[in-house]
Amino acid sequence: QRQADTWNARDREGFFATYADDCEVTAPGFTGKGRQGLEEFWSLWMDGFPDNQVIVGLVFAEGDHLAEESRFEGTNSGPLAGPDGSQIPATGLRASAAFSALSTVRGDKVATTRFYFDQVELLTQLGLMPA
């Protein structure tokens, strides 16, 4: 919840503080490590969807593992990074996409997070793929 709260408040440093210095974050088409990886992940989503919000659904914890099922909602009013590194112009369309995240915690910091979401659904909502 602390991650979602700092994300939704646009508290970049607060969000980064929830991760270990040597963290790894992966998502479809993205792998980042450490502070640089977090910066890239943050920019990717905040630049493309400046008004985005994460709505936390279910969170389960067992030992040092966390599982989350939540929703990402926002308007694509900024450019998106294409899989080849190109810039995809903003569509101006609103998207609402379910995602899951699996994390490993070390102490009170997140060491790894693997995000999963349906890329086709997201791209279809943005008008970048046929329905």
Side-chain angles (χ1 to χ4, degrees):
Q1 185 64 52
R2 185 171 41 144
Q3 282 187 340
D5 290 345
T6 55
W7 181 273
N8 290 340
R10 304 301 185 264
D11 178 0
R12 179 188 210 115
E13 293 307 315
F15 180 76
F16 292 172
T18 66
Y19 279 93
D21 292 340
D22 62 345
C23 68
E24 184 171 331
V25 176
T26 61
F30 178 85
T31 298
K33 294 183 180 184
R35 174 71 182 224
Q36 180 178 344
L38 289 172
E39 293 274 359
E40 292 169 8
F41 183 80
W42 178 275
S43 294
L44 176 74
W45 295 103
M46 290 296 184
D47 292 351
F49 298 86
D51 68 347
N52 81 75
Q53 293 287 296
V54 169
I55 297 100
V56 177
L58 299 172
V59 178
F60 296 95
E62 178 69 35
D64 60 355
H65 298 286
L66 299 172
E68 173 187 355
E69 182 180 75
S70 295
R71 180 161 291 283
F72 176 90
E73 296 184 350
T75 307
N76 176 222
S77 55
L80 294 172
D84 61 357
S86 65
Q87 291 288 308
I88 301 169
T91 65
L93 296 174
R94 188 146 181 87
S96 178
F99 72 89
S100 295
L102 299 175
S103 298
T104 303
V105 177
R106 186 180 334 117
D108 65 345
K109 305 278 185 177
V110 176
T112 63
T113 300
R114 294 182 309 275
F115 290 97
Y116 300 94
F117 62 90
D118 186 337
Q119 291 175 287
V120 172
E121 176 189 3
L122 180 62
L123 294 173
T124 300
Q125 288 182 39
L126 296 176
L128 299 171
M129 290 191 73

